[in-house]
Amino acid sequence: MSVAPPSTIALQDRFARELPEMAMPWQAEEAPDPRLLVLNEPLAAQLGLDPAWLRGPDGVRFLVGDRVPDGATPVAQAYAGHQFGNFVPRLGDGRALLLGEVVDAEGRLRDLHLKGSGRTPFARGGDGLAAVGPMLREHVVSEAMHALGIPTTRSLAVVATGRPVRRETLLPGAVLARVASSHLRVGSVQYARATGDVELLRRLADHAIARHSPGAARAERPHVALLEAVVAAQASLVARWMLVGFVHGVMNTDNTTISGETIDYGPCAFLDAFDPTTVYSSIDTIGRYAYGNQPVVVEWNLARLAEALLPLFSDDQEQAIAIAVEALEGFRPQYAAAWSRGMRAKLGLPEGLDDAVTAALAEDLLRLLQEGRVDFTSFFRSLGAAARGDAAPARDLFLDREGFDAWAQRWRALGPDADAMDRVNPVYIPRNHLVEEALAAAADGDLGPLGQLLEAVSAPYDERPGLERYAAPAPEDFGAYRTFCGT
Ligand code: AMP
Ligand code: MG
Protein backbone atom coordinates (compact mmCIF):
# COMPACT_ATOMS: atom_id res chain seq x y z
CA MET A 1 0.00 0.00 0.00
CA SER A 2 1.46 3.35 -0.95
CA VAL A 3 0.71 6.21 1.38
CA ALA A 4 1.65 9.84 1.14
CA PRO A 5 3.99 11.18 3.80
CA PRO A 6 1.60 13.15 5.98
CA SER A 7 3.51 16.39 5.67
CA THR A 8 2.99 16.40 1.93
CA ILE A 9 -0.66 15.39 1.55
CA ALA A 10 -1.19 16.68 -1.92
CA LEU A 11 -4.45 18.56 -1.79
CA GLN A 12 -5.40 20.22 -5.04
CA ASP A 13 -7.43 23.41 -5.21
CA ARG A 14 -9.05 22.91 -8.55
CA PHE A 15 -12.53 24.09 -7.63
CA ALA A 16 -11.18 27.10 -5.75
CA ARG A 17 -8.90 28.03 -8.66
CA GLU A 18 -11.33 27.47 -11.52
CA LEU A 19 -14.38 28.94 -9.80
CA PRO A 20 -13.18 31.59 -7.34
CA GLU A 21 -16.55 33.39 -7.53
CA MET A 22 -18.09 30.32 -5.89
CA ALA A 23 -15.30 29.54 -3.42
CA MET A 24 -14.87 31.59 -0.29
CA PRO A 25 -11.54 30.92 1.41
CA TRP A 26 -12.30 30.05 5.01
CA GLN A 27 -10.95 28.22 8.03
CA ALA A 28 -12.40 25.59 10.29
CA GLU A 29 -13.18 26.56 13.85
CA GLU A 30 -10.64 25.00 16.17
CA ALA A 31 -11.90 21.91 17.97
CA PRO A 32 -11.16 22.15 21.71
CA ASP A 33 -10.67 18.41 22.27
CA PRO A 34 -10.81 16.37 19.05
CA ARG A 35 -11.28 12.62 19.45
CA LEU A 36 -11.56 10.19 16.56
CA LEU A 37 -14.79 8.16 16.73
CA VAL A 38 -14.63 6.20 13.46
CA LEU A 39 -12.12 5.96 10.66
CA ASN A 40 -12.82 4.35 7.30
CA GLU A 41 -9.48 2.60 6.77
CA PRO A 42 -10.17 1.12 3.32
CA LEU A 43 -11.25 4.54 2.06
CA ALA A 44 -8.21 6.21 3.64
CA ALA A 45 -5.97 3.73 1.83
CA GLN A 46 -7.78 4.39 -1.46
CA LEU A 47 -7.03 8.07 -1.02
CA GLY A 48 -3.37 7.38 -0.25
CA LEU A 49 -3.75 8.55 3.36
CA ASP A 50 -1.98 6.58 6.07
CA PRO A 51 -4.60 5.26 8.55
CA ALA A 52 -2.02 5.11 11.38
CA TRP A 53 -1.16 8.77 10.87
CA LEU A 54 -4.86 9.74 10.64
CA ARG A 55 -5.39 8.10 14.03
CA GLY A 56 -2.56 10.12 15.60
CA PRO A 57 -2.88 13.66 16.99
CA ASP A 58 -1.85 15.42 13.77
CA GLY A 59 -4.11 13.22 11.67
CA VAL A 60 -7.10 13.92 13.87
CA ARG A 61 -6.40 17.66 13.67
CA PHE A 62 -6.23 17.28 9.90
CA LEU A 63 -9.62 15.54 9.93
CA VAL A 64 -11.28 18.50 11.70
CA GLY A 65 -9.56 21.12 9.56
CA ASP A 66 -7.29 22.49 12.34
CA ARG A 67 -4.19 21.44 10.49
CA VAL A 68 -4.30 22.19 6.80
CA PRO A 69 -1.54 20.88 4.53
CA ASP A 70 0.79 23.45 3.01
CA GLY A 71 -0.59 25.02 -0.11
CA ALA A 72 -4.18 23.90 0.47
CA THR A 73 -7.01 26.43 0.21
CA PRO A 74 -10.06 25.39 2.21
CA VAL A 75 -13.18 27.09 0.89
CA ALA A 76 -16.87 27.33 1.64
CA GLN A 77 -18.71 26.65 -1.60
CA ALA A 78 -21.51 28.88 -2.80
CA TYR A 79 -24.69 27.32 -4.11
CA ALA A 80 -28.36 28.13 -4.42
CA GLY A 81 -31.27 25.75 -4.23
CA HIS A 82 -34.96 25.05 -4.30
CA GLN A 83 -35.86 24.02 -0.76
CA PHE A 84 -39.26 22.34 -0.66
CA GLY A 85 -40.00 24.10 -3.94
CA ASN A 86 -38.91 27.61 -2.92
CA PHE A 87 -35.89 29.12 -4.60
CA VAL A 88 -33.17 30.40 -2.26
CA PRO A 89 -30.49 32.19 -4.33
CA ARG A 90 -27.79 31.97 -1.67
CA LEU A 91 -27.42 28.85 0.46
CA GLY A 92 -23.84 27.62 0.32
CA ASP A 93 -21.75 25.72 2.86
CA GLY A 94 -22.99 27.20 6.10
CA ARG A 95 -21.19 24.63 8.21
CA ALA A 96 -18.90 22.89 5.80
CA LEU A 97 -15.61 23.39 3.99
CA LEU A 98 -14.03 21.89 0.93
CA LEU A 99 -10.46 21.16 2.05
CA GLY A 100 -9.43 20.39 -1.50
CA GLU A 101 -9.22 17.52 -3.95
CA VAL A 102 -7.10 14.38 -3.78
CA VAL A 103 -6.18 12.01 -6.58
CA ASP A 104 -7.18 8.52 -5.47
CA ALA A 105 -5.48 5.21 -6.20
CA GLU A 106 -7.40 4.92 -9.46
CA GLY A 107 -6.35 8.39 -10.58
CA ARG A 108 -9.77 9.92 -9.95
CA LEU A 109 -10.14 13.35 -8.37
CA ARG A 110 -12.07 13.20 -5.09
CA ASP A 111 -13.23 16.07 -2.88
CA LEU A 112 -12.22 16.04 0.76
CA HIS A 113 -14.83 18.01 2.63
CA LEU A 114 -15.67 18.73 6.26
CA LYS A 115 -19.17 19.02 7.67
CA GLY A 116 -19.71 20.64 11.08
CA SER A 117 -16.48 22.66 10.95
CA GLY A 118 -17.91 25.97 12.17
CA ARG A 119 -19.80 28.97 10.86
CA THR A 120 -18.97 30.35 7.45
CA PRO A 121 -20.24 33.48 5.71
CA PHE A 122 -23.08 31.26 4.39
CA ALA A 123 -24.24 30.25 7.87
CA ARG A 124 -27.20 32.65 8.05
CA GLY A 125 -28.85 31.85 11.42
CA GLY A 126 -27.07 28.50 11.84
CA ASP A 127 -24.35 27.75 14.36
CA GLY A 128 -22.10 26.06 11.81
CA LEU A 129 -21.90 22.90 13.88
CA ALA A 130 -23.02 19.30 13.71
CA ALA A 131 -23.78 16.83 16.48
CA VAL A 132 -22.14 13.44 16.92
CA GLY A 133 -25.37 11.46 16.39
CA PRO A 134 -26.28 12.76 12.92
CA MET A 135 -22.67 12.56 11.71
CA LEU A 136 -22.36 8.93 12.82
CA ARG A 137 -25.70 8.33 11.15
CA GLU A 138 -24.33 9.72 7.88
CA HIS A 139 -21.24 7.53 8.30
CA VAL A 140 -23.26 4.32 8.69
CA VAL A 141 -25.91 5.02 6.09
CA SER A 142 -23.52 6.28 3.40
CA GLU A 143 -21.21 3.31 3.93
CA ALA A 144 -24.22 0.97 3.72
CA MET A 145 -25.26 2.61 0.45
CA HIS A 146 -21.75 2.20 -0.92
CA ALA A 147 -21.71 -1.47 0.05
CA LEU A 148 -25.09 -1.89 -1.66
CA GLY A 149 -23.42 -0.63 -4.83
CA ILE A 150 -25.36 2.65 -4.91
CA PRO A 151 -23.41 5.76 -5.94
CA THR A 152 -22.84 7.91 -2.88
CA THR A 153 -20.57 10.30 -1.10
CA ARG A 154 -18.39 8.43 1.39
CA SER A 155 -17.46 9.04 4.99
CA LEU A 156 -13.77 9.00 5.79
CA ALA A 157 -14.10 9.73 9.49
CA VAL A 158 -16.16 11.20 12.28
CA VAL A 159 -14.28 13.15 14.94
CA ALA A 160 -15.91 14.40 18.17
CA THR A 161 -14.81 18.00 18.63
CA GLY A 162 -15.23 18.36 22.39
CA ARG A 163 -17.48 21.34 21.69
CA PRO A 164 -21.10 21.10 22.78
CA VAL A 165 -23.82 21.90 20.24
CA ARG A 166 -27.12 23.40 21.29
CA ARG A 167 -30.14 21.72 19.74
CA GLU A 168 -33.24 20.92 21.84
CA THR A 169 -30.64 19.90 24.40
CA LEU A 170 -26.87 20.22 24.57
CA LEU A 171 -25.25 17.54 22.42
CA PRO A 172 -21.63 16.61 21.77
CA GLY A 173 -20.33 18.15 18.54
CA ALA A 174 -18.57 16.38 15.66
CA VAL A 175 -17.02 16.90 12.28
CA LEU A 176 -17.61 14.46 9.43
CA ALA A 177 -14.85 14.16 6.84
CA ARG A 178 -16.72 13.46 3.62
CA VAL A 179 -15.34 12.28 0.31
CA ALA A 180 -17.18 12.80 -2.97
CA SER A 181 -16.38 12.72 -6.63
CA SER A 182 -17.39 16.39 -6.32
CA HIS A 183 -19.76 18.55 -4.34
CA LEU A 184 -21.30 20.11 -7.47
CA ARG A 185 -25.03 20.24 -7.08
CA VAL A 186 -27.95 21.31 -9.23
CA GLY A 187 -27.96 24.24 -6.79
CA SER A 188 -24.37 25.12 -7.79
CA VAL A 189 -25.49 25.61 -11.38
CA GLN A 190 -28.54 27.56 -10.20
CA TYR A 191 -26.21 29.83 -8.22
CA ALA A 192 -23.99 30.52 -11.23
CA ARG A 193 -27.04 31.19 -13.40
CA ALA A 194 -28.57 33.54 -10.84
CA THR A 195 -25.43 35.72 -10.87
CA GLY A 196 -26.26 36.58 -14.49
CA ASP A 197 -22.64 35.91 -15.44
CA VAL A 198 -22.86 33.53 -18.41
CA GLU A 199 -19.08 33.11 -18.49
CA LEU A 200 -19.15 31.85 -14.89
CA LEU A 201 -21.97 29.46 -15.81
CA ARG A 202 -19.92 28.21 -18.75
CA ARG A 203 -16.80 27.76 -16.62
CA LEU A 204 -18.80 25.81 -14.04
CA ALA A 205 -20.35 23.60 -16.72
CA ASP A 206 -16.90 22.95 -18.21
CA HIS A 207 -15.53 22.11 -14.75
CA ALA A 208 -18.43 19.65 -14.30
CA ILE A 209 -17.75 18.10 -17.71
CA ALA A 210 -14.05 17.66 -16.94
CA ARG A 211 -14.82 15.96 -13.64
CA HIS A 212 -17.89 13.89 -14.41
CA SER A 213 -18.44 13.40 -18.10
CA PRO A 214 -15.22 13.97 -20.02
CA GLY A 215 -16.90 12.36 -23.02
CA ALA A 216 -19.29 15.32 -23.21
CA ALA A 217 -16.35 17.58 -24.08
CA ARG A 218 -16.08 15.79 -27.43
CA ALA A 219 -19.81 15.93 -28.14
CA GLU A 220 -21.16 18.28 -30.76
CA ARG A 221 -22.96 20.27 -28.04
CA PRO A 222 -20.95 19.64 -24.84
CA HIS A 223 -23.30 21.42 -22.44
CA VAL A 224 -26.32 19.55 -23.75
CA ALA A 225 -24.32 16.34 -23.41
CA LEU A 226 -23.61 17.34 -19.78
CA LEU A 227 -27.33 17.74 -19.08
CA GLU A 228 -28.01 14.38 -20.75
CA ALA A 229 -25.31 12.76 -18.61
CA VAL A 230 -26.78 14.17 -15.39
CA VAL A 231 -30.27 13.05 -16.47
CA ALA A 232 -28.92 9.53 -17.07
CA ALA A 233 -26.97 9.41 -13.80
CA GLN A 234 -29.90 10.65 -11.71
CA ALA A 235 -32.43 8.35 -13.45
CA SER A 236 -30.20 5.41 -12.60
CA LEU A 237 -29.61 6.65 -9.04
CA VAL A 238 -33.24 7.16 -8.11
CA ALA A 239 -34.10 3.76 -9.59
CA ARG A 240 -31.51 2.26 -7.24
CA TRP A 241 -33.06 4.08 -4.27
CA MET A 242 -36.52 2.80 -5.18
CA LEU A 243 -35.31 -0.78 -5.61
CA VAL A 244 -33.68 -0.85 -2.19
CA GLY A 245 -36.40 1.11 -0.35
CA PHE A 246 -34.31 4.19 0.40
CA VAL A 247 -36.10 7.42 1.28
CA HIS A 248 -33.76 10.41 0.98
CA GLY A 249 -36.09 12.75 2.81
CA VAL A 250 -34.80 16.15 1.69
CA MET A 251 -34.41 16.14 -2.08
CA ASN A 252 -33.90 19.86 -2.49
CA THR A 253 -31.97 20.89 -5.60
CA ASP A 254 -28.94 21.67 -3.42
CA ASN A 255 -29.01 18.02 -2.36
CA THR A 256 -29.05 16.68 -5.95
CA THR A 257 -25.57 16.12 -7.32
CA ILE A 258 -24.19 16.58 -10.80
CA SER A 259 -22.14 13.38 -10.32
CA GLY A 260 -25.20 11.21 -9.64
CA GLU A 261 -23.98 10.36 -6.13
CA THR A 262 -26.39 10.31 -3.21
CA ILE A 263 -25.58 13.25 -0.94
CA ASP A 264 -26.70 14.72 2.37
CA TYR A 265 -27.86 12.04 4.71
CA GLY A 266 -30.12 14.07 6.94
CA PRO A 267 -33.60 12.72 7.53
CA CYS A 268 -33.14 9.68 5.27
CA ALA A 269 -34.33 6.18 6.20
CA PHE A 270 -35.03 2.79 4.68
CA LEU A 271 -38.57 1.44 4.25
CA ASP A 272 -39.72 -1.20 6.65
CA ALA A 273 -43.24 -1.99 5.42
CA PHE A 274 -43.70 -1.25 1.74
CA ASP A 275 -45.83 1.86 1.29
CA PRO A 276 -45.22 4.52 -1.38
CA THR A 277 -46.61 7.27 0.85
CA THR A 278 -43.91 6.70 3.48
CA VAL A 279 -42.34 9.88 4.84
CA TYR A 280 -39.92 9.87 7.76
CA SER A 281 -38.80 13.47 7.90
CA SER A 282 -40.43 15.51 10.63
CA ILE A 283 -40.25 18.67 8.50
CA ASP A 284 -41.84 17.16 5.37
CA THR A 285 -45.41 17.72 6.47
CA ILE A 286 -46.97 17.41 3.01
CA GLY A 287 -45.01 14.35 1.93
CA ARG A 288 -43.26 16.15 -0.93
CA TYR A 289 -40.31 13.79 -0.57
CA ALA A 290 -42.28 10.60 0.19
CA TYR A 291 -40.74 7.33 -1.05
CA GLY A 292 -43.12 7.05 -4.01
CA ASN A 293 -42.59 10.68 -5.13
CA GLN A 294 -38.83 10.42 -5.50
CA PRO A 295 -38.64 9.78 -9.27
CA VAL A 296 -40.96 12.72 -9.98
CA VAL A 297 -38.98 14.97 -7.67
CA VAL A 298 -35.68 14.09 -9.30
CA GLU A 299 -37.22 14.86 -12.67
CA TRP A 300 -38.40 18.23 -11.30
CA ASN A 301 -34.90 18.96 -9.97
CA LEU A 302 -33.42 18.08 -13.37
CA ALA A 303 -35.82 20.53 -15.00
CA ARG A 304 -34.37 23.21 -12.67
CA LEU A 305 -30.89 22.19 -13.83
CA ALA A 306 -31.93 22.42 -17.48
CA GLU A 307 -33.43 25.86 -16.87
CA ALA A 308 -30.22 27.07 -15.26
CA LEU A 309 -28.15 25.81 -18.21
CA LEU A 310 -30.38 27.34 -20.92
CA PRO A 311 -28.04 30.21 -21.92
CA LEU A 312 -25.38 27.63 -22.83
CA PHE A 313 -27.65 25.72 -25.21
CA SER A 314 -28.50 28.44 -27.70
CA ASP A 315 -28.69 32.22 -28.03
CA ASP A 316 -32.23 31.71 -29.23
CA GLN A 317 -34.35 31.11 -26.15
CA GLU A 318 -37.07 29.13 -27.92
CA GLN A 319 -34.46 26.85 -29.36
CA ALA A 320 -32.66 26.52 -26.01
CA ILE A 321 -35.92 25.46 -24.38
CA ALA A 322 -36.64 22.91 -27.11
CA ILE A 323 -33.16 21.43 -26.58
CA ALA A 324 -33.67 21.27 -22.79
CA VAL A 325 -37.08 19.63 -23.13
CA GLU A 326 -35.68 16.99 -25.44
CA ALA A 327 -32.90 16.15 -22.98
CA LEU A 328 -35.36 16.00 -20.08
CA GLU A 329 -37.60 13.65 -22.04
CA GLY A 330 -34.85 11.10 -21.68
CA PHE A 331 -35.51 10.83 -17.96
CA ARG A 332 -38.71 8.77 -17.92
CA PRO A 333 -37.66 6.01 -20.31
CA GLN A 334 -34.23 5.76 -18.66
CA TYR A 335 -35.75 5.60 -15.19
CA ALA A 336 -38.33 3.03 -16.32
CA ALA A 337 -35.67 0.87 -17.97
CA ALA A 338 -33.36 1.01 -14.93
CA TRP A 339 -36.22 0.21 -12.58
CA SER A 340 -37.48 -2.71 -14.75
CA ARG A 341 -34.01 -4.13 -15.10
CA GLY A 342 -33.49 -3.88 -11.34
CA MET A 343 -36.89 -5.34 -10.48
CA ARG A 344 -36.34 -8.21 -12.91
CA ALA A 345 -33.06 -8.94 -11.13
CA LYS A 346 -34.70 -8.75 -7.70
CA LEU A 347 -37.25 -11.31 -8.89
CA GLY A 348 -34.45 -13.51 -10.26
CA LEU A 349 -35.89 -13.49 -13.77
CA PRO A 350 -33.93 -13.89 -16.98
CA GLU A 351 -32.56 -10.89 -18.83
CA GLY A 352 -34.44 -11.44 -22.06
CA LEU A 353 -37.81 -11.30 -20.31
CA ASP A 354 -40.31 -8.86 -21.78
CA ASP A 355 -40.49 -5.63 -19.73
CA ALA A 356 -44.28 -5.79 -19.82
CA VAL A 357 -44.23 -9.19 -18.08
CA THR A 358 -41.92 -7.85 -15.36
CA ALA A 359 -44.08 -4.75 -14.99
CA ALA A 360 -47.33 -6.69 -14.56
CA LEU A 361 -45.78 -9.12 -12.10
CA ALA A 362 -44.13 -6.32 -10.12
CA GLU A 363 -47.28 -4.22 -10.03
CA ASP A 364 -49.33 -7.07 -8.59
CA LEU A 365 -46.59 -7.90 -6.11
CA LEU A 366 -46.22 -4.32 -4.89
CA ARG A 367 -49.97 -4.12 -4.36
CA LEU A 368 -49.84 -7.27 -2.21
CA LEU A 369 -46.85 -5.93 -0.26
CA GLN A 370 -48.61 -2.64 0.36
CA GLU A 371 -51.92 -4.24 1.38
CA GLY A 372 -50.14 -6.57 3.77
CA ARG A 373 -47.69 -3.91 5.05
CA VAL A 374 -44.95 -6.44 4.33
CA ASP A 375 -41.32 -5.66 5.20
CA PHE A 376 -39.73 -4.77 1.85
CA THR A 377 -36.20 -6.00 2.50
CA SER A 378 -37.20 -9.23 4.29
CA PHE A 379 -39.64 -10.07 1.55
CA PHE A 380 -37.20 -9.91 -1.34
CA ARG A 381 -34.52 -11.80 0.54
CA SER A 382 -36.95 -14.56 1.55
CA LEU A 383 -38.17 -14.78 -2.02
CA GLY A 384 -34.73 -16.22 -2.79
CA ALA A 385 -35.57 -19.10 -0.44
CA ALA A 386 -38.91 -19.47 -2.23
CA ALA A 387 -37.01 -19.82 -5.52
CA ARG A 388 -35.13 -22.70 -3.87
CA GLY A 389 -38.45 -24.36 -2.98
CA ASP A 390 -38.98 -23.06 0.56
CA ALA A 391 -41.85 -20.63 0.20
CA ALA A 392 -42.80 -20.47 3.88
CA PRO A 393 -40.56 -17.55 5.00
CA ALA A 394 -41.93 -15.31 2.23
CA ARG A 395 -45.49 -16.58 2.48
CA ASP A 396 -45.63 -16.08 6.24
CA LEU A 397 -45.05 -12.35 5.80
CA PHE A 398 -48.53 -12.00 4.27
CA LEU A 399 -51.97 -12.05 5.82
CA ASP A 400 -53.42 -12.77 2.38
CA ARG A 401 -51.53 -16.02 1.82
CA GLU A 402 -53.74 -17.15 -1.04
CA GLY A 403 -52.99 -13.86 -2.75
CA PHE A 404 -49.29 -14.51 -2.36
CA ASP A 405 -49.63 -18.15 -3.53
CA ALA A 406 -51.40 -17.11 -6.70
CA TRP A 407 -48.75 -14.51 -7.43
CA ALA A 408 -45.88 -16.91 -6.57
CA GLN A 409 -47.23 -19.53 -8.95
CA ARG A 410 -47.03 -17.06 -11.87
CA TRP A 411 -43.57 -15.96 -10.77
CA ARG A 412 -42.16 -19.48 -10.30
CA ALA A 413 -43.34 -20.48 -13.77
CA LEU A 414 -40.79 -18.01 -15.16
CA GLY A 415 -37.88 -19.93 -13.62
CA PRO A 416 -36.31 -17.58 -11.03
CA ASP A 417 -32.61 -17.97 -10.25
CA ALA A 418 -32.17 -18.02 -6.44
CA ASP A 419 -28.40 -17.42 -6.42
CA ALA A 420 -28.76 -14.39 -8.67
CA MET A 421 -31.46 -13.05 -6.34
CA ASP A 422 -29.18 -13.31 -3.32
CA ARG A 423 -26.65 -11.14 -5.10
CA VAL A 424 -29.10 -8.25 -5.50
CA ASN A 425 -31.49 -8.52 -2.55
CA PRO A 426 -29.68 -7.43 0.62
CA VAL A 427 -30.02 -9.26 3.93
CA TYR A 428 -28.64 -6.35 5.95
CA ILE A 429 -29.61 -2.72 5.59
CA PRO A 430 -29.24 0.01 8.23
CA ARG A 431 -32.68 -0.60 9.66
CA ASN A 432 -34.08 2.37 11.53
CA HIS A 433 -34.33 0.66 14.91
CA LEU A 434 -30.75 -0.63 14.61
CA VAL A 435 -29.39 2.78 13.65
CA GLU A 436 -31.17 4.37 16.62
CA GLU A 437 -29.89 1.67 18.96
CA ALA A 438 -26.30 2.14 17.75
CA LEU A 439 -26.49 5.94 18.03
CA ALA A 440 -27.98 5.75 21.53
CA ALA A 441 -25.12 3.49 22.66
CA ALA A 442 -22.58 5.81 21.00
CA ALA A 443 -24.10 8.76 22.88
CA ASP A 444 -23.36 6.82 26.08
CA GLY A 445 -19.77 6.29 24.97
CA ASP A 446 -20.18 2.73 23.67
CA LEU A 447 -19.19 2.49 20.01
CA GLY A 448 -19.53 -1.33 20.00
CA PRO A 449 -23.07 -1.54 18.55
CA LEU A 450 -22.15 0.97 15.85
CA GLY A 451 -19.15 -1.13 14.86
CA GLN A 452 -21.29 -4.28 14.70
CA LEU A 453 -23.94 -2.58 12.61
CA LEU A 454 -21.26 -1.26 10.26
CA GLU A 455 -19.85 -4.75 9.91
CA ALA A 456 -23.27 -6.17 9.02
CA VAL A 457 -24.17 -3.50 6.45
CA SER A 458 -20.69 -3.43 4.91
CA ALA A 459 -21.36 -6.85 3.32
CA PRO A 460 -25.11 -6.57 2.79
CA TYR A 461 -25.62 -9.54 0.48
CA ASP A 462 -23.53 -12.02 2.41
CA GLU A 463 -25.73 -13.76 5.01
CA ARG A 464 -23.67 -14.68 8.06
CA PRO A 465 -24.50 -16.72 11.17
CA GLY A 466 -24.80 -14.67 14.34
CA LEU A 467 -26.18 -11.61 12.56
CA GLU A 468 -29.84 -12.68 12.57
CA ARG A 469 -31.00 -9.64 14.52
CA TYR A 470 -29.57 -7.37 11.82
CA ALA A 471 -31.82 -9.05 9.27
CA ALA A 472 -35.03 -8.89 11.30
CA PRO A 473 -37.73 -6.24 10.91
CA ALA A 474 -38.26 -3.68 13.67
CA PRO A 475 -40.02 -4.98 16.76
CA GLU A 476 -43.71 -3.99 16.94
CA ASP A 477 -43.07 -1.61 19.82
CA PHE A 478 -40.58 0.46 17.77
CA GLY A 479 -43.62 2.31 16.40
CA ALA A 480 -43.78 4.93 13.66
CA TYR A 481 -40.34 6.30 12.81
CA ARG A 482 -39.53 10.00 12.54
CA THR A 483 -36.26 11.55 11.47
CA PHE A 484 -34.91 15.04 12.03
CA CYS A 485 -32.96 17.13 9.63
CA GLY A 486 -29.48 16.06 10.64
CA THR A 487 -28.34 19.34 12.23
P1 AMP B 1 -28.99 20.70 4.45
O1 AMP B 1 -30.38 20.65 4.97
O2 AMP B 1 -27.99 20.02 5.34
O3 AMP B 1 -28.88 20.27 3.04
O4 AMP B 1 -28.56 22.23 4.53
C1 AMP B 1 -29.22 23.26 3.85
C2 AMP B 1 -28.48 24.56 4.03
O5 AMP B 1 -28.44 24.95 5.40
C3 AMP B 1 -27.04 24.53 3.59
O6 AMP B 1 -26.74 25.78 3.06
C4 AMP B 1 -26.29 24.28 4.88
O7 AMP B 1 -24.95 24.72 4.83
C5 AMP B 1 -27.11 25.09 5.86
N1 AMP B 1 -27.02 24.59 7.25
C6 AMP B 1 -27.60 23.49 7.74
N2 AMP B 1 -27.32 23.35 9.05
C7 AMP B 1 -26.53 24.40 9.40
C8 AMP B 1 -25.91 24.85 10.61
N3 AMP B 1 -26.05 24.17 11.76
N4 AMP B 1 -25.19 25.98 10.56
C9 AMP B 1 -25.04 26.68 9.43
N5 AMP B 1 -25.60 26.32 8.27
C10 AMP B 1 -26.35 25.20 8.24
MG1 MG C 1 -27.46 19.96 1.80
Side-chain angles (χ1 to χ4, degrees):
M1 180 174 67
S2 88
V3 291
S7 57
T8 60
I9 292 173
L11 278 183
Q12 301 193 14
D13 58 354
R14 186 145 168 203
F15 179 86
R17 237 181 330 102
E18 294 184 7
L19 297 152
E21 298 92 332
M22 298 178 63
M24 192 166 299
W26 203 253
Q27 277 179 337
E29 221 169 272
E30 203 175 307
D33 181 22
R35 276 187 313 113
L36 184 66
L37 298 179
V38 272
L39 177 67
N40 189 335
E41 295 209 358
L43 180 59
Q46 246 183 48
L47 298 174
L49 300 171
D50 179 359
W53 179 77
L54 286 173
R55 287 186 183 283
D58 289 344
V60 171
R61 286 178 57 210
F62 168 73
L63 288 169
V64 293
D66 283 353
R67 188 193 146 153
V68 175
D70 293 344
T73 316
V75 296
Q77 292 179 294
Y79 51 85
H82 275 90
Q83 298 194 303
F84 290 89
N86 302 308
F87 186 61
V88 185
R90 190 180 139 110
L91 284 168
D93 289 333
R95 55 162 170 174
L97 289 177
L98 173 65
L99 278 185
E101 304 98 10
V102 221
V103 179
D104 72 12
E106 283 153 35
R108 292 179 304 166
L109 205 60
R110 313 273 291 270
D111 275 7
L112 186 53
H113 171 106
L114 306 178
K115 183 163 165 182
S117 51
R119 299 192 78 227
T120 76
F122 298 107
R124 296 168 290 156
D127 60 9
L129 304 176
V132 165
M135 296 306 100
L136 288 177
R137 196 164 189 284
E138 172 152 348
H139 183 87
V140 175
V141 182
S142 64
E143 285 312 300
M145 292 287 271
H146 173 71
L148 288 162
I150 300 174
T152 178
T153 63
R154 306 286 306 276
S155 167
L156 175 61
V158 179
V159 179
T161 57
R163 184 190 298 108
V165 180
R166 181 166 293 285
R167 294 293 177 256
E168 275 102 79
T169 57
L170 272 190
L171 299 171
V175 170
L176 170 84
R178 180 160 78 179
V179 174
S181 69
S182 90
H183 281 78
L184 301 178
R185 308 144 190 268
V186 168
S188 313
V189 182
Q190 291 180 293
Y191 179 90
R193 173 68 197 273
T195 65
D197 179 349
V198 178
E199 285 320 304
L200 172 63
L201 181 65
R202 191 183 312 280
R203 219 179 322 121
L204 174 61
D206 291 340
H207 177 90
I209 287 173
R211 292 189 69 171
H212 301 302
S213 18
R218 293 183 296 276
E220 196 182 324
R221 296 180 301 189
H223 300 125
V224 180
L226 171 65
L227 175 61
E228 287 167 349
V230 182
V231 166
Q234 287 288 341
S236 157
L237 178 67
V238 74
R240 301 294 306 265
W241 291 357
M242 298 305 284
L243 291 161
V244 80
F246 177 75
V247 185
H248 182 282
V250 59
M251 296 169 69
N252 295 330
T253 56
D254 51 300
N255 291 339
T256 300
T257 57
I258 299 303
S259 64
E261 288 176 352
T262 311
I263 197 169
D264 256 342
Y265 293 85
C268 63
F270 283 79
L271 289 185
D272 292 304
F274 177 77
D275 180 352
T277 67
T278 304
V279 178
Y280 294 108
S281 171
S282 60
I283 59 169
D284 190 3
T285 47
I286 59 163
R288 180 181 172 94
Y289 299 140
Y291 168 76
N293 279 356
Q294 296 186 118
V296 170
V297 171
V298 167
E299 188 184 35
W300 191 88
N301 290 349
L302 291 166
R304 305 290 77 74
L305 173 64
E307 251 165 36
L309 288 169
L310 282 181
L312 303 182
F313 295 162
S314 169
D315 293 334
D316 177 277
Q317 199 183 340
E318 292 298 305
Q319 200 185 346
I321 291 172
I323 291 169
V325 167
E326 194 187 336
L328 289 168
E329 277 170 359
F331 180 81
R332 289 186 187 201
Q334 291 182 73
Y335 170 75
W339 188 86
S340 282
R341 202 161 46 240
M343 184 50 74
R344 191 169 59 264
K346 286 178 84 66
L347 295 172
L349 301 178
E351 267 186 39
L353 192 69
D354 187 344
D355 273 357
V357 175
T358 312
L361 204 59
E363 199 178 302
D364 294 343
L365 172 63
L366 294 178
R367 191 176 326 108
L368 285 170
L369 291 177
Q370 188 176 354
E371 281 166 7
R373 298 205 56 77
V374 174
D375 186 274
F376 187 72
T377 303
S378 299
F379 170 75
F380 278 101
R381 187 68 187 196
S382 58
L383 197 61
R388 292 191 176 88
D390 179 13
R395 186 172 192 266
D396 290 350
L397 294 169
F398 292 84
L399 285 175
D400 176 10
R401 300 204 170 150
E402 290 72 35
F404 170 73
D405 290 341
W407 179 87
Q409 200 173 9
R410 283 162 61 204
W411 164 71
R412 214 174 288 110
L414 298 167
D417 174 345
D419 291 341
M421 291 172 76
D422 286 352
R423 289 193 290 272
V424 296
N425 293 314
V427 200
Y428 311 114
I429 55 162
R431 288 176 175 276
N432 305 321
H433 66 290
L434 297 171
V435 173
E436 292 306 317
E437 172 194 87
L439 296 186
D444 288 336
D446 179 8
L447 290 164
L450 186 91
Q452 286 148 20
L453 177 59
L454 264 173
E455 201 178 305
V457 300
S458 295
Y461 303 106
D462 178 13
E463 193 162 0
R464 286 153 283 163
L467 295 182
E468 289 74 13
R469 66 185 298 270
Y470 294 93
E476 291 288 338
D477 64 4
F478 185 65
Y481 189 53
R482 276 265 154 275
T483 55
F484 301 91
C485 217
T487 50

